[in-house]
Structures are given as structure tokens and as C-alpha cells.
Amino acid sequence: MLLNFAFRESLGAEDGFDAYMFEYTQYFAHGQGNVAAFRMKSRWTDDAPNSGLSSVDLRGYTRGQYLAEHSTSFEIDERIALTKQWGLTAFTGVSCLYGKDPLGNNLSCDKSDNIYPSAGVGAAYTINPSEKMVVRADFAVGKDDNYGVYLNFGQPF
């Protein structure tokens, strides 16, 4: 999926800029009801103010905490079926911020300061198996003491 959000002053935006997004998701069924899910996600901006910059978009980080013109992330989410209704989850991912940051510094993915890893575990409960309605609780950690606890209806992707 490829998207463009065009923020235009002529249509009421405070600052005019473009944000382009690309997302690719693939699912691999294996075993008895297990699924490995993969996602690649990128966001690029053109002439964005600080409020429109790209951010780390992984569990374990607060969106907007780390900013740059562009970001790319990769995630793997393993969904292990224990019973018809209960399952375990394990996930990992990495994100990179590149381009200019809010202070005007040039960032690139070849420096570890701009790489943001994430990993976590959780549990899933299928509320309604015929509709595949899932509630999921996850715990994720990132670098520099970043972490998060998540309770969601549905899968993250």
C-alpha cells in the first residue's frame, strides 16, 4: 500500500507539506493455527514542520519521542495457538530514523544512534472464534529504558 497525505495551507493546514507512506504485510500460516506475520513500513516527509515529522512506530516506544524526516521499520509477529481461544505472542522489530532531525542534524541508518530495536511477548484471547475477535496483551521493550504495556482488540497488523 502506498499513500500520500498532502497538507495544504490553502485548505486550512498551518504548514504545507507532504507525507508519503508505504506498508507491506505478509502472513505465513504454519503448524496448528500458528501465524508468522511480517510488516515493513516506511514514511517520508517533504518540507514537514516538527509536528509532521516521522517517528519510531514500534511497540516499546512512545510515538513522537524520536523524530526525523523519514523512518523505516521491519517487524515480525509470531502468533502461537495454544488452544482454540488462547495463544502466546512474541515479536521483534527494528526502526531507523533518517534525514534531518528537528535540530537540523543529518541522520542515517549506518549509525546505531538512529536504530531503534524492539522486542516483546504477550498473550491473546479469542473472544468470538467464529468472528476471530481477539483481545491481546503485550509487553515490549526498546533501547534506552523505553518500554510499553499494550491491551488491544485485534492484532497489531
Side-chain angles (χ1 to χ4, degrees):
M1 169 175 45
L2 184 61
L3 300 168
N4 168 243
F5 285 102
F7 299 86
R8 299 291 178 255
E9 292 176 32
S10 61
L11 296 175
E14 286 187 26
D15 295 296
F17 70 97
D18 287 287
Y20 304 94
M21 285 149 286
F22 172 79
E23 184 173 345
Y24 174 78
T25 306
Q26 185 71 46
Y27 303 91
F28 304 95
H30 62 92
Q32 297 289 332
N34 302 333
V35 174
F38 169 81
R39 175 168 66 177
M40 180 211 166
K41 201 172 179 182
S42 290
R43 185 175 188 273
W44 305 276
T45 63
D46 181 33
D47 203 26
N50 289 349
S51 61
L53 292 176
S54 300
S55 179
V56 175
D57 186 16
L58 292 174
R59 288 166 281 179
Y61 295 94
T62 302
R63 189 171 286 188
Q65 182 177 6
Y66 303 102
L67 298 170
E69 289 178 306
H70 319 300
S71 68
T72 296
S73 62
F74 299 90
E75 288 182 90
I76 297 172
D77 192 85
E78 178 65 31
R79 303 162 188 172
I80 302 164
L82 297 176
T83 69
K84 187 173 181 168
Q85 289 186 284
W86 284 100
L88 296 176
T89 61
F91 51 91
T92 188
V94 64
S95 185
C96 175
L97 294 178
Y98 52 102
K100 292 198 184 298
D101 70 6
L103 300 175
N105 300 314
N106 285 317
L107 307 180
S108 65
C109 293
D110 61 355
K111 295 189 178 180
S112 64
D113 289 351
N114 308 325
I115 303 291
Y116 298 87
S118 171
V121 295
Y125 179 75
T126 305
I127 298 169
N128 184 341
S130 65
E131 297 292 327
K132 298 184 181 178
M133 293 174 56
V134 174
V135 63
R136 182 169 159 159
D138 291 327
F139 175 74
V141 295
K143 73 176 187 179
D144 297 332
D145 296 325
N146 285 287
Y147 67 92
V149 177
Y150 305 86
L151 181 61
N152 294 305
F153 287 96
Q155 302 289 1
F157 58 94

